[in-house]
PDB file of all heavy atoms in Angstrom:
ATOM      1  N   ILE A  57     134.049 130.617  63.648  1.00  0.00           N
ATOM      2  CA  ILE A  57     134.356 131.580  64.718  1.00  0.00           C
ATOM      3  C   ILE A  57     133.183 132.084  65.467  1.00  0.00           C
ATOM      4  O   ILE A  57     132.065 132.337  64.966  1.00  0.00           O
ATOM      5  CB  ILE A  57     135.021 132.844  64.094  1.00  0.00           C
ATOM      6  CG1 ILE A  57     136.287 132.483  63.352  1.00  0.00           C
ATOM      7  CG2 ILE A  57     135.348 133.904  65.104  1.00  0.00           C
ATOM      8  CD1 ILE A  57     136.948 133.544  62.479  1.00  0.00           C
ATOM      9  N   LEU A  58     133.324 132.124  66.838  1.00  0.00           N
ATOM     10  CA  LEU A  58     132.385 132.733  67.688  1.00  0.00           C
ATOM     11  C   LEU A  58     133.042 134.063  68.134  1.00  0.00           C
ATOM     12  O   LEU A  58     134.146 134.077  68.756  1.00  0.00           O
ATOM     13  CB  LEU A  58     132.063 131.926  68.933  1.00  0.00           C
ATOM     14  CG  LEU A  58     131.238 130.677  68.750  1.00  0.00           C
ATOM     15  CD1 LEU A  58     131.112 129.862  69.980  1.00  0.00           C
ATOM     16  CD2 LEU A  58     129.805 131.152  68.266  1.00  0.00           C
ATOM     17  N   ASN A  59     132.428 135.268  67.841  1.00  0.00           N
ATOM     18  CA  ASN A  59     133.005 136.565  68.168  1.00  0.00           C
ATOM     19  C   ASN A  59     132.220 137.181  69.215  1.00  0.00           C
ATOM     20  O   ASN A  59     131.005 137.495  69.120  1.00  0.00           O
ATOM     21  CB  ASN A  59     132.947 137.458  66.850  1.00  0.00           C
ATOM     22  CG  ASN A  59     133.632 138.739  67.109  1.00  0.00           C
ATOM     23  OD1 ASN A  59     134.281 138.962  68.153  1.00  0.00           O
ATOM     24  ND2 ASN A  59     133.420 139.741  66.211  1.00  0.00           N
ATOM     25  N   LEU A  60     132.732 137.308  70.456  1.00  0.00           N
ATOM     26  CA  LEU A  60     132.096 137.866  71.570  1.00  0.00           C
ATOM     27  C   LEU A  60     132.460 139.398  71.498  1.00  0.00           C
ATOM     28  O   LEU A  60     133.371 139.920  72.063  1.00  0.00           O
ATOM     29  CB  LEU A  60     132.617 137.301  72.885  1.00  0.00           C
ATOM     30  CG  LEU A  60     132.212 135.870  73.324  1.00  0.00           C
ATOM     31  CD1 LEU A  60     132.428 134.888  72.253  1.00  0.00           C
ATOM     32  CD2 LEU A  60     132.831 135.437  74.653  1.00  0.00           C
ATOM     33  N   THR A  61     131.595 140.120  70.682  1.00  0.00           N
ATOM     34  CA  THR A  61     131.914 141.475  70.360  1.00  0.00           C
ATOM     35  C   THR A  61     131.944 142.418  71.534  1.00  0.00           C
ATOM     36  O   THR A  61     132.772 143.382  71.554  1.00  0.00           O
ATOM     37  CB  THR A  61     130.850 141.983  69.358  1.00  0.00           C
ATOM     38  OG1 THR A  61     129.531 141.866  69.905  1.00  0.00           O
ATOM     39  CG2 THR A  61     130.847 141.214  67.981  1.00  0.00           C
ATOM     40  N   GLN A  62     131.129 142.190  72.581  1.00  0.00           N
ATOM     41  CA  GLN A  62     131.078 143.003  73.795  1.00  0.00           C
ATOM     42  C   GLN A  62     132.396 142.845  74.595  1.00  0.00           C
ATOM     43  O   GLN A  62     132.698 143.728  75.436  1.00  0.00           O
ATOM     44  CB  GLN A  62     129.852 142.707  74.487  1.00  0.00           C
ATOM     45  CG  GLN A  62     129.588 143.580  75.784  1.00  0.00           C
ATOM     46  CD  GLN A  62     128.393 143.132  76.479  1.00  0.00           C
ATOM     47  OE1 GLN A  62     127.272 143.520  76.232  1.00  0.00           O
ATOM     48  NE2 GLN A  62     128.563 142.214  77.492  1.00  0.00           N
ATOM     49  N   ASP A  63     132.943 141.674  74.492  1.00  0.00           N
ATOM     50  CA  ASP A  63     134.096 141.340  75.338  1.00  0.00           C
ATOM     51  C   ASP A  63     135.440 141.279  74.628  1.00  0.00           C
ATOM     52  O   ASP A  63     136.513 140.950  75.332  1.00  0.00           O
ATOM     53  CB  ASP A  63     133.804 139.971  75.996  1.00  0.00           C
ATOM     54  CG  ASP A  63     132.443 139.970  76.690  1.00  0.00           C
ATOM     55  OD1 ASP A  63     132.312 140.642  77.691  1.00  0.00           O
ATOM     56  OD2 ASP A  63     131.458 139.306  76.203  1.00  0.00           O
ATOM     57  N   GLY A  64     135.484 141.519  73.400  1.00  0.00           N
ATOM     58  CA  GLY A  64     136.705 141.583  72.680  1.00  0.00           C
ATOM     59  C   GLY A  64     137.447 140.280  72.501  1.00  0.00           C
ATOM     60  O   GLY A  64     138.591 140.178  72.491  1.00  0.00           O
ATOM     61  N   ILE A  65     136.591 139.100  72.448  1.00  0.00           N
ATOM     62  CA  ILE A  65     137.206 137.784  72.430  1.00  0.00           C
ATOM     63  C   ILE A  65     136.716 137.126  71.162  1.00  0.00           C
ATOM     64  O   ILE A  65     135.493 137.085  70.874  1.00  0.00           O
ATOM     65  CB  ILE A  65     136.753 137.032  73.658  1.00  0.00           C
ATOM     66  CG1 ILE A  65     137.398 137.673  74.956  1.00  0.00           C
ATOM     67  CG2 ILE A  65     137.224 135.506  73.649  1.00  0.00           C
ATOM     68  CD1 ILE A  65     136.804 137.128  76.229  1.00  0.00           C
ATOM     69  N   LYS A  66     137.575 136.307  70.486  1.00  0.00           N
ATOM     70  CA  LYS A  66     137.143 135.440  69.429  1.00  0.00           C
ATOM     71  C   LYS A  66     137.563 134.092  69.768  1.00  0.00           C
ATOM     72  O   LYS A  66     138.651 133.766  70.246  1.00  0.00           O
ATOM     73  CB  LYS A  66     137.896 135.894  68.133  1.00  0.00           C
ATOM     74  CG  LYS A  66     137.135 136.830  67.261  1.00  0.00           C
ATOM     75  CD  LYS A  66     137.909 137.128  65.913  1.00  0.00           C
ATOM     76  CE  LYS A  66     137.367 138.304  65.283  1.00  0.00           C
ATOM     77  NZ  LYS A  66     138.350 138.834  64.210  1.00  0.00           N
ATOM     78  N   LEU A  67     136.614 133.093  69.479  1.00  0.00           N
ATOM     79  CA  LEU A  67     136.887 131.639  69.647  1.00  0.00           C
ATOM     80  C   LEU A  67     137.027 131.070  68.290  1.00  0.00           C
ATOM     81  O   LEU A  67     135.999 131.100  67.608  1.00  0.00           O
ATOM     82  CB  LEU A  67     135.900 130.975  70.490  1.00  0.00           C
ATOM     83  CG  LEU A  67     135.586 131.603  71.914  1.00  0.00           C
ATOM     84  CD1 LEU A  67     134.366 130.943  72.567  1.00  0.00           C
ATOM     85  CD2 LEU A  67     136.748 131.545  72.772  1.00  0.00           C
ATOM     86  N   LEU A  68     138.132 130.521  67.944  1.00  0.00           N
ATOM     87  CA  LEU A  68     138.323 129.954  66.548  1.00  0.00           C
ATOM     88  C   LEU A  68     138.271 128.454  66.584  1.00  0.00           C
ATOM     89  O   LEU A  68     139.088 127.803  67.244  1.00  0.00           O
ATOM     90  CB  LEU A  68     139.667 130.447  65.936  1.00  0.00           C
ATOM     91  CG  LEU A  68     139.769 131.932  65.485  1.00  0.00           C
ATOM     92  CD1 LEU A  68     139.669 132.865  66.631  1.00  0.00           C
ATOM     93  CD2 LEU A  68     140.972 132.094  64.648  1.00  0.00           C
ATOM     94  N   PHE A  69     137.303 127.913  65.899  1.00  0.00           N
ATOM     95  CA  PHE A  69     137.076 126.366  65.918  1.00  0.00           C
ATOM     96  C   PHE A  69     137.609 125.862  64.647  1.00  0.00           C
ATOM     97  O   PHE A  69     137.322 126.444  63.561  1.00  0.00           O
ATOM     98  CB  PHE A  69     135.641 126.074  66.121  1.00  0.00           C
ATOM     99  CG  PHE A  69     135.152 126.413  67.450  1.00  0.00           C
ATOM    100  CD1 PHE A  69     134.720 127.731  67.765  1.00  0.00           C
ATOM    101  CD2 PHE A  69     135.043 125.478  68.420  1.00  0.00           C
ATOM    102  CE1 PHE A  69     134.287 128.087  69.055  1.00  0.00           C
ATOM    103  CE2 PHE A  69     134.604 125.792  69.776  1.00  0.00           C
ATOM    104  CZ  PHE A  69     134.267 127.142  70.014  1.00  0.00           C
TER     105      PHE A  69
END
Side-chain angles (χ1 to χ4, degrees):
I57 298 172
L58 288 173
N59 185 12
L60 284 56
T61 56
Q62 181 184 275
D63 307 292
I65 298 168
K66 269 186 195 160
L67 305 174
L68 285 70
F69 293 82

